[in-house]
Amino acid sequence: MGVTSFPLDQWIDAQGRIARFDQRVEIRGTPTRTYGTFRDFGPVEPVSAPN
């Protein structure tokens, strides 16, 4: 696909959730940046490990 790396920074909140991310990638010579912020999380939902 022409991608050799994609640096990604993530900010993790006190509950271990991703609160923000910033990703930079170059695809076939075209630089691209994707970033976002997450907020207003609902209540924590229990998740069990698969068997």
Side-chain angles (χ1 to χ4, degrees):
M1 300 296 278
V3 177
T4 57
S5 70
F6 53 96
L8 173 66
D9 294 317
Q10 293 182 342
W11 289 258
I12 309 299
D13 70 9
Q15 287 74 39
R17 300 174 295 206
I18 298 172
R20 183 174 156 200
F21 72 94
D22 188 351
Q23 178 183 7
R24 290 145 324 274
V25 64
E26 188 172 304
I27 303 171
R28 295 189 181 105
T30 303
T32 303
R33 180 179 180 205
T34 305
Y35 55 93
T37 302
F38 302 102
R39 60 177 173 252
D40 300 329
F41 293 102
V44 175
E45 295 186 26
V47 177
S48 301
N51 295 329

